[in-house]
Amino acid sequence: MKNTHVAQKTIILNQQGKFLALLRGASAPTNPLKWDLPGGGVEFGEDPGSSILREIKEETGLTVKQPTPFDVESQIENDNEFWIT
C-alpha cells in the first residue's frame, strides 16, 4: 500500500488586511528558499482544525484564537481509513 500525506495551509490576516507569508529555509525538504503560507501535515486521525493550529504555532509561534475554516471535515471509517474532505 502506498502512503498518502495530507497537508493544509492557512491565510493569517492582520487588522490591516495584510497576510503572513513565510520564506522557507535553504534546507527545507521541498521548495527551499520559496515563499509559502503557514501550514503542514495532518497526522493520521488528527482533527484538521487542531492540526492547523498546531502547525501555525510550530512555524510562527503565533496562537490563533478564532480560526475560520472554509470547508473541512475528517473522519475515520469502519475499515480504519482516514478521510479528509
Side-chain angles (χ1 to χ4, degrees):
M1 176 192 290
K2 293 183 179 180
N3 290 327
T4 300
H5 301 277
V6 176
Q8 56 185 346
K9 298 293 182 173
T10 186
I11 298 170
I12 299 175
L13 299 172
N14 68 11
Q15 292 179 351
Q16 292 77 35
K18 295 180 179 180
F19 71 92
L20 176 65
L22 305 174
L23 181 62
R24 298 175 67 83
S27 62
T30 58
N31 301 315
L33 301 176
K34 302 280 182 169
W35 289 98
D36 201 357
L37 297 171
V42 179
E43 297 173 9
F44 184 89
E46 186 177 26
D47 173 71
S50 298
S51 171
I52 198 64
L53 293 176
R54 175 182 54 75
E55 287 289 344
I56 291 168
K57 184 72 171 176
E58 287 176 5
E59 293 186 0
T60 69
L62 298 173
T63 300
V64 176
K65 297 184 191 263
Q66 296 179 333
T68 306
F70 290 139
D71 183 21
V72 63
E73 297 177 27
S74 67
Q75 61 191 17
I76 297 177
E77 297 289 336
N78 292 336
D79 56 359
N80 206 35
E81 287 185 344
F82 181 42
W83 284 80
I84 297 179
T85 305

